[in-house]
Amino acid sequence: MHPRPGHGNRWEILVADDDPAAIALLKAVLSGLDVTITGAETGAATLEIIKSHPPGLVLLDLIMPDVRGLELLDQIQQLSPETDVILITAHYSTESAVEAIQRGAFDYLTKPISIDKLRQKIIAWTEQKQRRTAAHELESKLVEISQCEGLLGMSPAMMEVFSRMQRIAPHYSTALVTGETGTGKEVLARVLHQLSPVSEGPFMVCNCAALPETLFESELFGHIRGAYTGAVDTKKGLVEAADGGTLFLDEIAEVPVSVQAKLLRLLQNRQFQRIGDPTPRKVNVRIICATHRNLRTMVDERLFREDLYYRLAHVELRLPRLVDRQDDLRLLVHHFLTRFGDQFGKPGLVLSRAAKALAWRYPWPGNVRELENSLNYCAMMCRGNVIDVEDFPESISRYKLEGSRAITFSTDEGLVPLEEVERRYVQEVLDRVQGNRTKAAEILGIGRATLYRILGRTGRPEPESGSLAKKSQPA
Ligand SMILES: Nc1ncnc2c1ncn2[C@@H]1O[C@H](COP(=O)(O)OP(=O)(O)OP(=O)(O)O)[C@@H](O)[C@H]1O
């Protein structure tokens, strides 16, 4: 548990001292600060308070009647790792101060205590504690959201997706998930289902691209016996199977135009008919559709019904390309390397510097799926537990630096700011001189410090690329 500020945002401090006069004195000295102070005169009383109501800080007298101060320090830390301890002793010795800090004490003070010094220390502690608590809370929220059912991400773009998803999940009846191939649309659909009120119900997947037109309708809506040649039995479709849960229609753009009207009826009224059966049926189902295609363009080309498009586009979640969220790359690489390291019995699997540089500059057109498959391959191919450039599939390891990468000035979201263009150009020049920063700075006519500043702008870790040329350039 993370001790929180006590009443009215005041931090709680416990003074553990066998001398009641010393407790009273410390209470008086700290009375003007934004803290609440309690006292304990024995080790046992101290531990009782730590167990029942852990304070943010303990001012611990090293000499207690029933237990050695350092032992008490250990016990406090075991019971409440987030509680800080400042040790107070009458006799200063460097060894005991060092030992106290090594054993995890936050600070060390000797008697007689200077009132000014103590107040300064407590003020500094409350400020630091405030910062640590805020950072800790943000971090756990991020981790919790990022790990939402295996949909990893911590980039601003993914944070925006998570935030939208959390707002949509309780209320949507139909949602559209868009994004390039391999960006995680199906994973997102599963998370949306998990977050929705029907999470206990079934999650049925229909891959619209995998079904021939003739089978599509029957697969989706079912049929009755004798409805057509070969329909020997009455069969429920996916729509009915998903009743009480979610139907995921992957590759919705591939739904034959002939079936789109029936799909619209399902979306509008939750009504459908089995093939050959005139009775309309009702279902209680949430529908999530996904596509990597631009449905708007398909509407203009009359390949997709406009009314169906508007019904779907009403609630849209768009997943960014992997290349546009490089902050996630490190997270995903780590995740997949851990997974495949376990799978192939190669714990502690890592990328060499050159491999890292390659992974960071390769555009990953197949997005997370391509990254996952490639790292799976690398984990299988590498000899020890270090993956090098040549362990990557050839299409990636032979990815040429020179001339192969056009600097893109726009992303899916639109044109990019000048600062980003500048950063990309600097990266391009750096690539062409095989990571030689002095040479790159010379060509660009800027100092090395400016070059570092420009590269550092995204906060993205820039692996050293000096050794890349040797390892990753095609023979
Ligand atoms: N954010 C993520 N965190 C962890 N794994 C992910 C993430 N995004 C995608 N993946 C993994 O990448 C692979 C592809 O994901 P998914 O099938 O959801 O992509 P998709 O966008 O539906 O692809 P397609 O358009 O080709 O159907 C899956 O194995 C999935 O587990």
Side-chain angles (χ1 to χ4, degrees):
M1 182 170 63
H2 220 269
R4 312 231 359 108
H7 327 289
N9 269 344
R10 290 159 72 91
W11 286 104
E12 296 192 0
I13 298 180
L14 173 65
V15 181
D17 198 311
D18 61 336
D19 178 1
I23 296 178
L25 182 72
L26 285 176
K27 275 187 182 175
V29 167
L30 300 175
S31 64
L33 302 180
D34 222 6
V35 293
T36 307
I37 304 195
T38 42
E41 292 172 28
T42 61
T46 306
L47 292 175
E48 257 331 290
I49 295 176
I50 301 282
K51 267 188 229 159
S52 60
H53 190 74
L57 176 71
V58 180
L59 291 172
L60 176 62
D61 189 356
L62 205 50
I63 316 288
M64 294 291 272
D66 51 346
V67 59
R68 272 194 69 222
L70 285 178
E71 277 166 29
L72 197 51
L73 169 67
D74 291 344
Q75 288 172 15
I76 293 172
Q77 289 185 331
Q78 256 175 18
L79 287 172
S80 174
E82 302 296 337
T83 296
D84 294 317
V85 179
I86 296 182
L87 279 174
I88 299 176
T89 179
H91 313 286
Y92 179 80
S93 85
T94 319
E95 292 87 64
S96 49
V98 169
E99 189 184 353
I101 301 296
Q102 273 178 352
R103 284 170 87 144
F106 180 78
D107 211 336
Y108 186 94
L109 281 173
T110 39
K111 289 179 178 172
I113 295 169
S114 139
I115 293 176
D116 278 351
K117 213 168 172 182
L118 178 66
R119 284 177 67 91
Q120 273 169 19
K121 276 199 191 292
I122 299 296
I123 290 169
W125 171 79
T126 51
E127 287 171 356
Q128 203 200 93
K129 189 78 182 165
Q130 203 75 46
R131 282 197 302 274
R132 272 192 281 158
T133 308
H136 182 271
E137 279 172 5
L138 187 66
E139 204 175 283
S140 14
K141 203 168 156 199
L142 283 186
V143 169
E144 193 187 315
I145 295 174
S146 298
Q147 304 215 331
C148 260
E149 309 284 328
L151 185 68
L152 302 183
M154 56 185 297
S155 60
M158 282 304 280
M159 283 297 141
E160 180 58 31
V161 172
F162 291 141
S163 150
R164 274 176 62 72
M165 198 161 64
Q166 287 196 319
R167 277 174 285 153
I168 289 168
H171 313 291
Y172 78 97
S173 58
T174 303
L176 175 66
V177 185
T178 55
E180 282 185 5
T181 181
T183 44
K185 297 185 289 297
E186 181 167 345
V187 193
L188 188 148
R190 287 181 189 276
V191 177
L192 206 52
H193 169 73
Q194 283 303 326
L195 294 173
S196 80
V198 297
S199 59
E200 297 293 313
F203 180 87
M204 302 305 296
V205 180
C206 174
N207 186 342
C208 307
L211 290 168
E213 186 167 347
T214 44
L215 272 186
F216 187 82
E217 203 177 330
S218 148
E219 193 68 19
L220 202 58
F221 302 120
H223 59 250
I224 57 165
R225 191 171 161 215
Y228 52 86
T229 326
V232 283
D233 280 317
T234 294
K235 189 179 152 240
K236 278 186 187 177
L238 286 166
V239 172
E240 270 180 279
D243 199 7
T246 302
L247 174 65
F248 176 54
L249 298 174
D250 201 3
E251 311 281 7
I252 187 75
E254 313 311 319
V255 172
V257 180
S258 57
V259 187
Q260 287 180 13
K262 290 180 180 165
L263 203 54
L264 181 66
R265 182 180 174 212
L266 177 71
L267 294 185
Q268 275 174 334
N269 313 321
R270 295 308 191 249
Q271 262 192 10
F272 72 99
Q273 281 163 266
R274 290 178 181 168
I275 301 178
D277 185 357
T279 326
R281 293 169 184 270
K282 258 198 128 28
V283 273
N284 175 17
V285 65
R286 283 170 196 243
I287 299 171
I288 307 176
C289 302
T291 182
H292 65 277
R293 312 251 312 245
N294 185 332
L295 288 184
R296 180 66 258 179
T297 315
M298 290 184 69
V299 170
D300 294 342
E301 290 166 357
R302 301 195 179 279
L303 294 171
F304 203 79
R305 285 181 69 119
E306 189 167 19
D307 43 12
L308 182 56
Y309 167 73
Y310 283 119
R311 192 85 210 172
L312 289 176
H314 187 57
V315 175
E316 180 179 345
L317 281 157
R318 180 158 189 78
L319 276 167
R321 302 181 304 172
L322 183 56
V323 75
D324 292 330
R325 49 182 166 118
Q326 295 224 341
D327 297 351
D328 291 342
L329 195 57
R330 194 157 43 127
L331 187 73
L332 288 164
V333 166
H334 176 77
H335 168 72
F336 291 132
L337 288 185
T338 309
R339 186 186 335 143
F340 299 133
D342 287 348
Q343 190 177 319
F344 292 102
K346 298 176 182 174
L349 208 54
V350 287
L351 296 181
S352 71
R353 272 182 167 213
K356 236 186 235 173
L358 173 68
W360 256 258
R361 79 190 65 241
Y362 182 71
W364 301 109
N367 295 289
V368 187
R369 180 184 292 109
E370 188 185 11
L371 177 72
E372 181 178 9
N373 292 342
S374 310
L375 292 179
N376 187 330
Y377 178 85
C378 291
M380 188 171 62
M381 297 309 283
C382 69
R383 289 205 176 77
N385 64 349
V386 178
I387 294 173
D388 215 334
V389 169
E390 56 265 28
D391 297 322
F392 273 85
E394 216 174 281
S395 57
I396 298 175
S397 65
R398 286 184 160 258
Y399 177 67
K400 283 198 194 126
L401 301 178
E402 294 207 14
S404 61
R405 189 179 60 162
I407 306 176
T408 49
F409 294 124
S410 68
T411 65
D412 274 3
E413 288 78 42
L415 293 167
V416 298
L418 188 59
E419 272 200 349
E420 178 59 16
V421 173
E422 189 180 43
R423 196 191 65 76
R424 288 183 196 179
Y425 183 62
V426 168
Q427 184 64 57
E428 180 73 17
V429 173
L430 201 56
D431 288 348
R432 293 196 187 202
V433 294
Q434 286 85 46
N436 184 330
R437 292 175 174 185
T438 312
K439 209 162 163 189
E442 223 174 84
I443 292 170
L444 290 161
I446 57 176
R448 276 168 60 102
T450 312
L451 184 121
Y452 284 123
R453 186 176 48 73
I454 295 171
L455 289 174
R457 247 178 220 154
T458 53
R460 154 191 163 195
E462 288 293 340
E464 282 291 341
S465 44
S467 52
L468 178 68
K470 250 185 285 143
K471 298 271 188 181
S472 69
Q473 271 192 339

